[in-house]
């Protein structure tokens, strides 16, 4: 939450010091700054103490009010500062032009003190809302950037756990991989293990997407690798049955409706010496193409 701890700042721009003093007396509850020329007004507006509102005369020596307002609205640093024109000129064309150049309001001189206070208060309230929204948006953008950076780093870690192309080329004469995650991190994974004269292939799709799917994916990969490398479990049906038990036991402390994710998987063990292939699947069928026929 953005909180104003100091009075909001108003820049009064008029080539009459008497007019500046009169306006300042009415708006004592605010921090008032003054400029008697358009050039000085722009210098103050672009300085470190930017005003929250500009009260701007129309006719001035040098730069007139129209030029000052155009310059403020053109600059990204000052374009959101509301501008109220103040003038004794009673001309519909003037009224139209001030709004064309970006004015938020117009006060005709002579003015009532109460009218000035109310119109100034309305614009400052708008500016405060605008500033708060900008702060909220910046905070959201910062959080988004932090999360996104972490997600892309997690993507690198996840992809590093997949089999490298050099290994795939070493253990298989021909192969192809279609791996296109929907999100930055994925619930899909594949594994390839050469076990003596056998080749074990795993293709799995965790039912969650994004971060939940990626966490399920990493956990499943770790469990399967442990079965293969440490427990020496190679047969597809044993791997799937044991994996199911491990996942169920991992989530046994949660209600069934809290965590309902799992994974679909296909596991193939190819024994080139015996010219056999063993398959087990969980919601994943096996398609065999032999002599050009499915």
């Amino acid at each position: 939450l953005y909180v104003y701890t100091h009075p909001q700042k108003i820049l009064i721009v008029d080539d009459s010091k008497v007019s500046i003093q009169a306006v300042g007396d009415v708006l004592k509850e605010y921090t008032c700054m003054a400029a008697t020329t358009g050039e000085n007004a722009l210098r103050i507006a672009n300085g470190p103490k930017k005003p929250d509102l500009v009260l701007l005369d129309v006719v001035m020596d040098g730069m007139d009010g129209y030029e000052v307002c155009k310059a403020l609205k053109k600059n990204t640093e000052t374009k959101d500062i509301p501008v109220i024109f103040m003038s004794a000129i009673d001309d519909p064309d003037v009224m139209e032009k001030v709004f064309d150049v970006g004015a938020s309001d117009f006060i005709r001189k002579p003015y009532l003190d109460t009218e000035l206070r109310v119109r100034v208060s309305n614009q400052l309230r708008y500016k405060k809302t605008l500033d708060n929204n900008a702060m909220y948006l910046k905070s959201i953008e910062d959080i988004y950037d932090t999360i996104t950076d972490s997600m892309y780093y997690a993507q690198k870690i996840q992809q590093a756990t997949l089999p490298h192309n050099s290994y795939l080329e070493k253990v298989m004469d021909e192969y192809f991989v279609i791996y296109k995650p929907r999100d930055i991190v994925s619930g899909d994974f594949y594994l390839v293990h050469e076990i003596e004269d056998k080749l074990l292939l795993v293709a799995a799709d965790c039912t969650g997407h994004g971060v939940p799917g990626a966490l399920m994916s990493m956990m499943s990969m770790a469990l399967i690798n442990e079965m293969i490398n440490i427990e020496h479990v190679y047969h597809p049906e044993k791997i799937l049955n044991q994996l199911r038990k491990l996942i169920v036991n991992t989530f046994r402390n949660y209600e069934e409706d809290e965590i309902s994710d799992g994974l679909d998987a296909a596991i193939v063990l190819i024994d080139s010496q015996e010219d056999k292939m063993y398959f087990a699947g969980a919601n994943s069928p096996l398609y065999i193409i032999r002599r050009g026929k499915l």
Side-chain angles (χ1 to χ4, degrees):
L1 178 64
Y2 185 76
V3 180
Y4 281 88
T5 56
H6 300 288
Q8 289 176 277
K9 299 181 290 295
I10 299 174
L11 175 58
I12 306 169
V13 186
D14 199 307
D15 56 4
S16 168
K17 293 181 180 180
V18 174
S19 295
I20 291 174
Q21 183 64 49
V23 173
D25 289 341
V26 177
L27 305 174
K28 289 181 179 178
E29 66 266 38
Y30 305 106
T31 299
C32 293
M33 303 175 287
T36 56
T37 66
E39 291 80 4
N40 282 339
L42 293 177
R43 179 180 56 79
I44 294 171
N46 287 286
K49 296 181 179 179
K50 287 182 170 52
D52 298 297
L53 173 65
V54 176
L55 299 178
L56 185 58
D57 192 14
V58 175
V59 180
M60 297 184 295
D61 293 334
M63 290 184 73
D64 61 22
Y66 303 127
E67 294 175 282
V68 174
C69 190
K70 284 181 181 178
L72 290 172
K73 297 305 175 181
K74 188 176 180 180
N75 189 335
T76 56
E77 296 292 322
T78 58
K79 65 181 180 65
D80 292 325
I81 300 174
V83 176
I84 299 178
F85 273 92
M86 302 181 68
S87 177
I89 302 174
D90 186 9
D91 185 342
D93 291 338
V94 171
M95 181 79 72
E96 181 180 353
K97 190 170 182 180
V98 298
F99 287 109
D100 283 343
V101 296
S104 301
D105 201 353
F106 180 88
I107 299 175
R108 182 172 289 110
K109 300 177 183 178
Y111 50 82
L112 295 174
D113 292 355
T114 53
E115 177 192 11
L116 178 60
R117 291 194 189 97
V118 169
R119 294 197 175 192
V120 164
S121 176
N122 287 340
Q123 293 303 323
L124 287 175
R125 192 181 301 114
Y126 165 77
K127 181 62 165 55
K128 186 183 292 188
T129 301
L130 204 64
D131 289 344
N132 284 339
N133 289 343
M135 291 292 293
Y136 296 147
L137 182 60
K138 180 65 167 60
S139 177
I140 293 170
E141 288 174 347
D142 290 343
I143 293 171
Y144 175 81
D145 289 342
T146 300
I147 293 174
T148 302
D149 289 345
S150 297
M151 293 281 283
Y152 277 114
Y153 191 75
Q155 180 190 60
K156 292 181 180 179
I157 295 174
Q158 187 179 38
Q159 291 182 348
T161 62
L162 298 173
H164 196 271
N165 287 341
S166 60
Y167 179 75
L168 298 179
E169 292 170 359
K170 176 183 176 183
V171 300
M172 293 185 287
D173 294 330
E174 293 181 302
Y175 73 93
F176 69 91
V177 176
I178 299 175
Y179 183 73
K180 294 184 177 182
R182 192 192 75 170
D183 301 308
I184 297 175
V185 290
S186 172
D188 303 332
F189 70 91
Y190 57 94
L191 297 173
V192 178
H193 285 272
E194 186 180 39
I195 307 162
E196 297 177 352
D197 55 353
K198 301 179 181 67
L199 191 65
L200 183 70
L201 308 174
V202 179
D205 174 16
C206 295
T207 55
H209 293 290
V211 174
L215 291 174
M216 181 69 74
S217 167
M218 296 295 285
M219 182 185 74
S220 301
M221 288 176 68
L223 293 173
I224 293 173
N225 281 323
E226 182 177 335
M227 281 185 260
I228 295 170
N229 297 321
I230 298 177
E231 300 176 19
H232 305 296
V233 178
Y234 305 135
H235 284 276
E237 76 280 3
K238 291 183 179 180
I239 293 175
L240 275 184
N241 288 331
Q242 191 166 330
L243 180 63
R244 181 185 181 280
K245 291 179 183 178
L246 291 170
I247 291 176
V248 170
N249 288 336
T250 300
F251 296 135
R252 69 181 181 275
N253 292 329
Y254 294 91
E255 296 293 335
E256 186 174 342
D257 59 349
E258 288 187 71
I259 298 179
S260 58
D261 289 323
L263 79 159
D264 302 335
I267 304 178
V268 172
L269 179 67
I270 301 173
D271 188 332
S272 57
Q273 292 296 320
E274 296 183 7
D275 198 24
K276 291 182 178 181
M277 181 180 71
Y278 303 88
F279 166 77
N283 294 324
S284 296
L286 175 68
Y287 295 95
I288 298 177
I289 299 175
R290 182 179 288 124
R291 297 185 182 90
K293 293 184 179 181
L294 181 63

